[in-house]
Amino acid sequence: GGRGGGGRGSSRPSREKQRRDALSRQQTARRDFADHARRVVKKTTTTTTTPASEGNADFDEEKEGKRTETDDAMATLETKTREEEDDDDSDDDDSDDGGELQLPEYMTDVPKDLREHWLCQPKARGQRCTIIAARGRTSAFDERGKSMRVMKNNKNNKKNHFQSVLPGGSYGTRGNSETFCILDCVYGEGIVDWNACTDGDAMEEDGGVDIGGYFVVLDVMAWNGAETYGCDVEFRSFWLQSKFASEIDSPGVSRDGHEYPMFPAPMFSCATVEDLRQCYEGARMKSFGGYACDGLLFRDKRASYTPGERTPLALLYKDEALCESCEEGTFRREVLERGCFLKVKGDGSSGELCAADDDTVLVSTRGLQLNPNVAVRSEWEGDRLVPRGTCEKKERRPDAFSAIQFYIACKTNPLTMEEIASCA
C-alpha cells in the first residue's frame, strides 16, 4: 500500500494511474516518426565530404589532424542553444534538453501487472547516449544531445565520430541517404570479461580485458532506414537481437573498421521468479558480455519509444548489491552520500524547494531568499529533507520527483529484489 501513492505530500496521481495514463496517451497519439528519424540523422550529417582515402577509418581525425566543417556540424543535436540550456532550470540533472533518449523514472514501487506486461533488462554502468550511424560514420550523443568523444583502444585519443559495421556507419556500409541507424546505448570504458578478445597483453590479473570504450545497446529506434519508434518494446527487443545476430555478430560479417565493441543487452520476461533472478544475478555477476551493470531497467512491453521524454513506462531499479558489483563503495557515494538536488520554486522569494518536474513543496526554508538559478543539495534526516547548501555548477540540475523518492526510499525503506520477485 505505502509504495503505490504519488509520494510524500504530492498531489500527483498514483504511480499506477500515471502508468495507465502514459500508455493510453501513447496508444492514441499518432506521430510521424519516419520524418522524425530523418530529421535526427540530417542534424548530424549537415555536410559530408567523401575522403580521398575512402575505407580508412582514421582518415578524418588522425590523418587530417584538424577540425573540419563536418565536425562542427556534427557537434550538437540540440534544439536549444547552450545559453538557453544553461538558463533553463526546469529539467533535472539527467534531462536530455534536446537529446533523443527516452529516460526512465526510478523504480520505487512494483507495477501490479508486472508478470503480465513487463520485461526486465540489465542496465550497463556508463553514460547513456544515442548512437547515430549514417553516411559512412558513427557518432555518439549524450542525454542532452551533445556530441561525445569516445576512447579508442585504451588510449587518450578520444574521437567525435568513428567507424562501425552498423548500416550507414562505415565507408563499407554507408549505402545511400536512407541507410542509417539510431540506437539507444550505454557507453562504458575499461575492463570487461570479454572472451572474444584475444590480445594476451591486455589481459588483467582477474581475467578481464581492458578494451577502452564500448557500447551496450539497450534499444533500437531505426535500423537500416526503417524506424521503430512507434513499435512496442517487445518487438524492438526482438528486432535488435535478430539484427545483431544476423548482420553484426554473424561469423560471415567482416569486422574490418569496427572500432568499438557493441553488445546488445538481453531482455527477460517478468513472468516468473526464475526469469527475474536470471536477469538480476546475471547483471550482478557480469554474465552479459562481461561488462559491469549497476541496475535493471523494467519496461512495459506495450510501450513505444518517446524520444526526449521521461516515462513511467520505463523504471530504473538500483540496489546496493548491483552497485557494489561495479566497485566497492559505489552505492554509498552515488546514492546515500549524494543526497538529492532540489529546484528553487518560482523566483526564490518564498524559500520553497521542489522537484524538477513537480511543484509540490518538499522543503521550506521559511521565507529565506534563494537563487532560482541553482540546485539545492538536500539530505534525509529523521523524517524530512534538510537543505545542505547550493550547487553553483550550471550542469548540476535538480532531480526529478522519482529520483528524490528513490533517494528517500534508500534511506528509509528500500525496495528489494525479493519484493519485486514476489509479484512475479
Side-chain angles (χ1 to χ4, degrees):
R3 295 196 187 274
R8 284 173 50 86
S10 175
S11 59
R12 290 159 65 98
S14 72
R15 288 185 284 273
E16 283 294 338
K17 187 176 189 308
Q18 291 175 45
R19 290 189 281 264
R20 288 196 303 270
D21 291 347
L23 187 63
S24 177
R25 285 193 301 271
Q26 285 191 4
Q27 292 173 340
T28 56
R30 293 292 182 266
R31 289 188 57 181
D32 190 343
F33 284 114
D35 280 349
H36 176 83
R38 293 188 185 97
R39 286 195 301 269
V40 169
V41 171
K42 186 176 181 181
K43 286 180 183 179
T44 66
T45 55
T46 305
T47 59
T48 302
T49 55
T50 303
S53 57
E54 184 164 320
N56 183 352
D58 295 328
F59 178 85
D60 284 337
E61 288 186 328
E62 278 75 6
K63 209 153 191 176
E64 291 212 54
K66 62 182 180 180
R67 193 171 180 85
T68 66
E69 291 182 5
T70 303
D71 296 325
D72 293 331
M74 295 185 68
T76 183
L77 269 176
E78 294 178 284
T79 57
K80 297 192 290 185
T81 64
R82 166 67 77 174
E83 290 75 20
E84 289 173 327
E85 180 186 48
D86 285 344
D87 289 339
D88 181 6
D89 64 343
S90 62
D91 294 308
D92 65 309
D93 188 46
D94 53 0
S95 165
D96 63 312
D97 278 354
E100 281 299 303
L101 293 173
Q102 180 186 68
L103 302 176
E105 293 191 351
Y106 276 89
M107 187 176 191
T108 54
D109 75 315
V110 184
K112 293 180 179 178
D113 57 353
L114 180 78
R115 180 184 299 179
E116 294 81 10
H117 296 306
W118 288 74
L119 301 172
C120 186
Q121 182 179 45
K123 187 264 174 187
R125 182 168 177 79
Q127 183 175 3
R128 283 284 300 282
C129 62
T130 306
I131 286 290
I132 298 179
R135 299 190 181 182
R137 61 170 47 172
T138 307
S139 304
F141 299 87
D142 67 18
E143 291 173 345
R144 296 181 183 177
K146 298 290 189 298
S147 178
M148 290 172 52
R149 295 180 66 81
V150 294
M151 180 188 295
K152 182 180 179 183
N153 298 333
N154 194 26
K155 298 177 182 178
N156 291 324
N157 57 327
K158 293 194 173 184
K159 309 180 69 176
N160 279 107
H161 47 265
F162 52 93
Q163 298 282 284
S164 73
V165 293
L166 297 171
S170 66
Y171 304 125
T173 62
R174 64 183 301 161
N176 54 38
S177 62
E178 294 297 311
T179 306
F180 59 84
C181 291
I182 307 174
L183 304 177
D184 180 335
C185 300
V186 174
Y187 170 69
E189 292 179 352
I191 297 172
V192 299
D193 297 326
W194 191 33
N195 295 328
C197 183
T198 58
D199 184 359
D201 295 334
M203 294 296 289
E204 303 290 333
E205 290 183 3
D206 63 357
V209 179
D210 195 332
I211 59 173
Y214 59 90
F215 294 93
V216 178
V217 188
L218 301 177
D219 212 332
V220 54
M221 296 88 94
W223 186 275
N224 200 11
E227 62 84 12
T228 55
Y229 287 96
C231 302
D232 59 44
V233 170
E234 195 166 34
F235 173 80
R236 296 199 310 272
S237 175
F238 162 76
W239 191 249
L240 174 66
Q241 301 295 334
S242 62
K243 290 302 179 183
F244 260 78
S246 62
E247 299 182 27
I248 305 299
D249 295 331
S250 171
V253 176
S254 172
R255 309 293 291 179
D256 292 343
H258 193 58
E259 297 185 73
Y260 295 87
M262 291 188 180
F263 309 91
M267 192 78 79
F268 293 84
S269 167
C270 294
T272 68
V273 174
E274 290 72 24
D275 291 329
L276 281 173
R277 293 210 176 278
Q278 184 181 357
C279 184
Y280 181 81
E281 292 301 327
R284 194 172 64 85
M285 301 303 294
K286 304 179 183 179
S287 299
F288 310 122
Y291 50 83
C293 296
D294 61 4
L296 304 179
L297 280 170
F298 286 83
R299 310 176 70 181
D300 190 314
K301 62 185 178 182
R302 301 164 295 179
S304 58
Y305 197 99
T306 50
E309 294 183 11
R310 187 176 301 280
T311 176
L313 300 175
L315 302 173
L316 175 60
Y317 174 78
K318 288 192 174 189
D319 69 6
E320 187 169 3
L322 286 170
C323 291
E324 294 302 290
S325 70
C326 300
E327 182 183 356
E328 186 178 351
T330 298
F331 188 76
R332 184 188 72 251
R333 290 192 310 271
E334 297 183 1
V335 179
L336 300 181
E337 293 178 356
R338 174 188 181 273
C340 59
F341 290 83
L342 305 183
K343 184 178 78 171
V344 176
K345 193 171 182 179
D347 62 3
S349 60
S350 67
E352 296 175 334
L353 303 174
C354 60
D357 56 350
D358 188 289
D359 286 335
T360 302
V361 177
L362 299 176
V363 175
S364 176
T365 59
R366 299 181 180 177
L368 182 66
Q369 176 67 46
L370 298 172
N371 181 353
N373 296 316
V374 300
V376 179
R377 182 177 174 274
S378 301
E379 292 181 350
W380 184 260
E381 275 196 5
D383 62 350
R384 62 193 180 99
L385 287 169
V386 178
R388 292 302 186 199
T390 59
C391 182
E392 303 295 332
K393 295 181 180 179
K394 289 185 177 180
E395 62 268 20
R396 170 57 69 194
R397 302 207 164 195
D399 290 326
F401 192 84
S402 72
I404 297 169
Q405 283 184 305
F406 168 72
Y407 163 69
I408 295 174
C410 287
K411 296 285 285 188
T412 58
N413 183 26
L415 178 64
T416 66
M417 199 61 202
E418 286 69 27
E419 285 182 78
I420 297 173
S422 69
C423 297

